[in-house]
mmCIF file of all heavy atoms in Angstrom:
data_model
loop_
_atom_site.group_PDB
_atom_site.id
_atom_site.type_symbol
_atom_site.label_atom_id
_atom_site.label_comp_id
_atom_site.label_asym_id
_atom_site.label_seq_id
_atom_site.Cartn_x
_atom_site.Cartn_y
_atom_site.Cartn_z
ATOM 1 N N MET V 1 149.189 -71.251 105.916
ATOM 2 C CA MET V 1 149.223 -72.480 106.707
ATOM 3 C C MET V 1 150.564 -73.172 106.468
ATOM 4 O O MET V 1 151.265 -72.875 105.490
ATOM 5 C CB MET V 1 148.063 -73.391 106.297
ATOM 6 C CG MET V 1 146.682 -72.795 106.568
ATOM 7 S SD MET V 1 146.362 -72.546 108.343
ATOM 8 C CE MET V 1 146.176 -74.254 108.900
ATOM 9 N N PRO V 2 150.953 -74.092 107.353
ATOM 10 C CA PRO V 2 152.233 -74.790 107.156
ATOM 11 C C PRO V 2 152.297 -75.484 105.796
ATOM 12 O O PRO V 2 151.301 -76.026 105.310
ATOM 13 C CB PRO V 2 152.248 -75.813 108.300
ATOM 14 C CG PRO V 2 151.402 -75.186 109.371
ATOM 15 C CD PRO V 2 150.308 -74.466 108.642
ATOM 16 N N ASP V 3 153.467 -75.459 105.182
ATOM 17 C CA ASP V 3 153.663 -76.118 103.889
ATOM 18 C C ASP V 3 153.788 -77.630 104.033
ATOM 19 O O ASP V 3 153.502 -78.381 103.094
ATOM 20 C CB ASP V 3 154.916 -75.578 103.190
ATOM 21 C CG ASP V 3 154.741 -74.147 102.713
ATOM 22 O OD1 ASP V 3 153.603 -73.782 102.360
ATOM 23 O OD2 ASP V 3 155.726 -73.389 102.710
ATOM 24 N N GLN V 4 154.252 -78.089 105.202
ATOM 25 C CA GLN V 4 154.451 -79.517 105.419
ATOM 26 C C GLN V 4 153.824 -79.927 106.743
ATOM 27 O O GLN V 4 153.832 -79.164 107.709
ATOM 28 C CB GLN V 4 155.940 -79.866 105.418
ATOM 29 C CG GLN V 4 156.629 -79.614 104.076
ATOM 30 C CD GLN V 4 158.091 -80.023 104.100
ATOM 31 O OE1 GLN V 4 158.689 -80.187 105.169
ATOM 32 N NE2 GLN V 4 158.673 -80.205 102.924
ATOM 33 N N TRP V 5 153.285 -81.140 106.752
ATOM 34 C CA TRP V 5 152.680 -81.709 107.955
ATOM 35 C C TRP V 5 153.367 -83.047 108.229
ATOM 36 O O TRP V 5 153.408 -83.910 107.348
ATOM 37 C CB TRP V 5 151.184 -81.907 107.776
ATOM 38 C CG TRP V 5 150.425 -80.640 107.509
ATOM 39 C CD1 TRP V 5 150.098 -80.119 106.293
ATOM 40 C CD2 TRP V 5 149.913 -79.739 108.482
ATOM 41 N NE1 TRP V 5 149.408 -78.950 106.439
ATOM 42 C CE2 TRP V 5 149.271 -78.682 107.783
ATOM 43 C CE3 TRP V 5 149.912 -79.703 109.879
ATOM 44 C CZ2 TRP V 5 148.653 -77.627 108.423
ATOM 45 C CZ3 TRP V 5 149.293 -78.642 110.525
ATOM 46 C CH2 TRP V 5 148.672 -77.622 109.799
ATOM 47 N N GLN V 6 153.869 -83.216 109.433
ATOM 48 C CA GLN V 6 154.626 -84.412 109.772
ATOM 49 C C GLN V 6 153.698 -85.549 110.171
ATOM 50 O O GLN V 6 152.810 -85.380 111.008
ATOM 51 C CB GLN V 6 155.599 -84.115 110.912
ATOM 52 C CG GLN V 6 156.504 -85.282 111.282
ATOM 53 C CD GLN V 6 157.493 -84.923 112.370
ATOM 54 O OE1 GLN V 6 157.499 -83.795 112.860
ATOM 55 N NE2 GLN V 6 158.332 -85.867 112.733
ATOM 56 N N ALA V 7 153.903 -86.722 109.572
ATOM 57 C CA ALA V 7 153.139 -87.902 109.960
ATOM 58 C C ALA V 7 153.381 -88.219 111.437
ATOM 59 O O ALA V 7 154.501 -88.107 111.936
ATOM 60 C CB ALA V 7 153.535 -89.090 109.090
ATOM 61 N N GLY V 8 152.328 -88.597 112.123
ATOM 62 C CA GLY V 8 152.400 -88.888 113.548
ATOM 63 C C GLY V 8 152.026 -87.720 114.441
ATOM 64 O O GLY V 8 151.795 -87.902 115.643
ATOM 65 N N ARG V 9 151.932 -86.532 113.873
ATOM 66 C CA ARG V 9 151.564 -85.362 114.668
ATOM 67 C C ARG V 9 150.070 -85.397 115.000
ATOM 68 O O ARG V 9 149.239 -85.768 114.163
ATOM 69 C CB ARG V 9 151.881 -84.080 113.907
ATOM 70 C CG ARG V 9 151.596 -82.810 114.705
ATOM 71 C CD ARG V 9 151.956 -81.567 113.918
ATOM 72 N NE ARG V 9 151.717 -80.368 114.688
ATOM 73 C CZ ARG V 9 151.920 -79.120 114.240
ATOM 74 N NH1 ARG V 9 152.399 -78.948 113.007
ATOM 75 N NH2 ARG V 9 151.677 -78.077 115.005
ATOM 76 N N THR V 10 149.727 -85.016 116.213
ATOM 77 C CA THR V 10 148.319 -84.961 116.610
ATOM 78 C C THR V 10 147.870 -83.510 116.671
ATOM 79 O O THR V 10 148.622 -82.631 117.107
ATOM 80 C CB THR V 10 148.091 -85.636 117.971
ATOM 81 O OG1 THR V 10 148.905 -85.000 118.964
ATOM 82 C CG2 THR V 10 148.416 -87.117 117.909
ATOM 83 N N LEU V 11 146.642 -83.271 116.235
ATOM 84 C CA LEU V 11 146.056 -81.940 116.203
ATOM 85 C C LEU V 11 144.628 -81.999 116.707
ATOM 86 O O LEU V 11 143.891 -82.947 116.438
ATOM 87 C CB LEU V 11 146.044 -81.393 114.763
ATOM 88 C CG LEU V 11 147.384 -81.201 114.062
ATOM 89 C CD1 LEU V 11 147.155 -80.939 112.588
ATOM 90 C CD2 LEU V 11 148.170 -80.068 114.704
ATOM 91 N N GLY V 12 144.231 -80.967 117.429
ATOM 92 C CA GLY V 12 142.830 -80.823 117.781
ATOM 93 C C GLY V 12 142.087 -80.091 116.677
ATOM 94 O O GLY V 12 142.688 -79.423 115.829
ATOM 95 N N PHE V 13 140.773 -80.212 116.689
ATOM 96 C CA PHE V 13 139.988 -79.544 115.651
ATOM 97 C C PHE V 13 138.558 -79.307 116.125
ATOM 98 O O PHE V 13 138.036 -79.988 117.010
ATOM 99 C CB PHE V 13 139.955 -80.385 114.360
ATOM 100 C CG PHE V 13 139.221 -81.702 114.499
ATOM 101 C CD1 PHE V 13 137.850 -81.783 114.306
ATOM 102 C CD2 PHE V 13 139.910 -82.857 114.825
ATOM 103 C CE1 PHE V 13 137.171 -82.991 114.444
ATOM 104 C CE2 PHE V 13 139.239 -84.075 114.970
ATOM 105 C CZ PHE V 13 137.868 -84.133 114.774
ATOM 106 N N ASP V 14 137.950 -78.314 115.510
ATOM 107 C CA ASP V 14 136.501 -78.109 115.544
ATOM 108 C C ASP V 14 136.021 -78.181 114.106
ATOM 109 O O ASP V 14 136.719 -77.733 113.182
ATOM 110 C CB ASP V 14 136.138 -76.745 116.137
ATOM 111 C CG ASP V 14 136.331 -76.679 117.636
ATOM 112 O OD1 ASP V 14 135.703 -77.480 118.347
ATOM 113 O OD2 ASP V 14 137.119 -75.827 118.092
ATOM 114 N N ILE V 15 134.825 -78.716 113.893
ATOM 115 C CA ILE V 15 134.303 -78.808 112.536
ATOM 116 C C ILE V 15 132.777 -78.883 112.568
ATOM 117 O O ILE V 15 132.191 -79.517 113.437
ATOM 118 C CB ILE V 15 134.887 -80.042 111.800
ATOM 119 C CG1 ILE V 15 134.531 -80.000 110.315
ATOM 120 C CG2 ILE V 15 134.440 -81.338 112.449
ATOM 121 C CD1 ILE V 15 135.302 -81.018 109.488
ATOM 122 N N ARG V 16 132.158 -78.173 111.638
ATOM 123 C CA ARG V 16 130.715 -78.246 111.443
ATOM 124 C C ARG V 16 130.459 -79.202 110.287
ATOM 125 O O ARG V 16 130.982 -79.022 109.196
ATOM 126 C CB ARG V 16 130.146 -76.864 111.125
ATOM 127 C CG ARG V 16 128.623 -76.838 110.956
ATOM 128 C CD ARG V 16 128.169 -75.500 110.422
ATOM 129 N NE ARG V 16 126.724 -75.449 110.240
ATOM 130 C CZ ARG V 16 126.102 -74.626 109.402
ATOM 131 N NH1 ARG V 16 126.815 -73.777 108.645
ATOM 132 N NH2 ARG V 16 124.795 -74.644 109.293
ATOM 133 N N LEU V 17 129.651 -80.223 110.538
ATOM 134 C CA LEU V 17 129.458 -81.294 109.571
ATOM 135 C C LEU V 17 127.995 -81.456 109.187
ATOM 136 O O LEU V 17 127.086 -81.170 109.974
ATOM 137 C CB LEU V 17 129.956 -82.622 110.149
ATOM 138 C CG LEU V 17 131.462 -82.734 110.416
ATOM 139 C CD1 LEU V 17 131.752 -83.990 111.220
ATOM 140 C CD2 LEU V 17 132.241 -82.739 109.117
ATOM 141 N N CYS V 18 127.802 -81.963 107.985
ATOM 142 C CA CYS V 18 126.486 -82.417 107.529
ATOM 143 C C CYS V 18 126.611 -83.920 107.287
ATOM 144 O O CYS V 18 126.864 -84.358 106.153
ATOM 145 C CB CYS V 18 126.074 -81.684 106.256
ATOM 146 S SG CYS V 18 124.417 -82.090 105.676
ATOM 147 N N PRO V 19 126.450 -84.737 108.337
ATOM 148 C CA PRO V 19 126.724 -86.174 108.218
ATOM 149 C C PRO V 19 125.552 -86.930 107.568
ATOM 150 O O PRO V 19 124.609 -87.359 108.234
ATOM 151 C CB PRO V 19 126.924 -86.607 109.670
ATOM 152 C CG PRO V 19 126.122 -85.633 110.471
ATOM 153 C CD PRO V 19 126.126 -84.344 109.713
ATOM 154 N N VAL V 20 125.632 -87.078 106.257
ATOM 155 C CA VAL V 20 124.579 -87.751 105.504
ATOM 156 C C VAL V 20 125.169 -88.914 104.710
ATOM 157 O O VAL V 20 126.363 -88.954 104.429
ATOM 158 C CB VAL V 20 123.850 -86.785 104.549
ATOM 159 C CG1 VAL V 20 123.074 -85.739 105.319
ATOM 160 C CG2 VAL V 20 124.838 -86.125 103.589
ATOM 161 N N VAL V 21 124.290 -89.861 104.356
ATOM 162 C CA VAL V 21 124.670 -91.002 103.522
ATOM 163 C C VAL V 21 123.622 -91.166 102.427
ATOM 164 O O VAL V 21 122.500 -90.656 102.537
ATOM 165 C CB VAL V 21 124.779 -92.301 104.349
ATOM 166 C CG1 VAL V 21 125.881 -92.189 105.395
ATOM 167 C CG2 VAL V 21 123.446 -92.632 105.018
ATOM 168 N N ARG V 22 123.995 -91.882 101.370
ATOM 169 C CA ARG V 22 123.073 -92.208 100.288
ATOM 170 C C ARG V 22 122.468 -93.584 100.541
ATOM 171 O O ARG V 22 123.189 -94.543 100.812
ATOM 172 C CB ARG V 22 123.806 -92.220 98.947
ATOM 173 C CG ARG V 22 124.280 -90.868 98.475
ATOM 174 C CD ARG V 22 123.158 -90.045 97.912
ATOM 175 N NE ARG V 22 123.642 -88.762 97.404
ATOM 176 C CZ ARG V 22 122.837 -87.808 96.963
ATOM 177 N NH1 ARG V 22 121.534 -87.985 96.957
ATOM 178 N NH2 ARG V 22 123.346 -86.661 96.525
ATOM 179 N N LYS V 23 121.137 -93.678 100.442
ATOM 180 C CA LYS V 23 120.449 -94.953 100.599
ATOM 181 C C LYS V 23 120.218 -95.545 99.208
ATOM 182 O O LYS V 23 119.299 -95.146 98.492
ATOM 183 C CB LYS V 23 119.127 -94.760 101.329
ATOM 184 C CG LYS V 23 119.257 -94.189 102.724
ATOM 185 C CD LYS V 23 119.990 -95.149 103.656
ATOM 186 C CE LYS V 23 119.144 -96.334 104.040
ATOM 187 N NZ LYS V 23 119.847 -97.201 105.048
ATOM 188 N N SER V 24 121.046 -96.485 98.827
ATOM 189 C CA SER V 24 120.991 -97.018 97.464
ATOM 190 C C SER V 24 119.675 -97.750 97.179
ATOM 191 O O SER V 24 119.144 -97.667 96.073
ATOM 192 C CB SER V 24 122.171 -97.965 97.225
ATOM 193 O OG SER V 24 122.158 -99.026 98.163
ATOM 194 N N LYS V 25 119.117 -98.440 98.186
ATOM 195 C CA LYS V 25 117.900 -99.210 97.973
ATOM 196 C C LYS V 25 116.635 -98.501 98.447
ATOM 197 O O LYS V 25 115.539 -98.937 98.138
ATOM 198 C CB LYS V 25 118.018 -100.560 98.686
ATOM 199 C CG LYS V 25 119.130 -101.449 98.146
ATOM 200 C CD LYS V 25 119.152 -102.786 98.853
ATOM 201 C CE LYS V 25 120.249 -103.683 98.289
ATOM 202 N NZ LYS V 25 120.278 -105.003 98.986
ATOM 203 N N GLY V 26 116.783 -97.431 99.190
ATOM 204 C CA GLY V 26 115.608 -96.755 99.718
ATOM 205 C C GLY V 26 115.005 -97.531 100.881
ATOM 206 O O GLY V 26 115.364 -98.674 101.156
#
């Protein structure tokens, strides 16, 4: 993969996520 990534560059992506949160109080 590239060694450097320039700030301001836009990239597309695909990603598989497990979007979970912790419930501190239940």
Side-chain angles (χ1 to χ4, degrees):
M1 297 296 289
D3 290 328
Q4 296 182 342
W5 299 94
Q6 184 177 0
R9 183 179 181 181
T10 58
L11 298 168
F13 66 87
D14 286 301
I15 190 168
R16 182 189 180 204
L17 294 169
C18 184
V20 293
V21 297
R22 292 283 183 186
K23 299 295 287 185
S24 58
K25 297 182 179 180

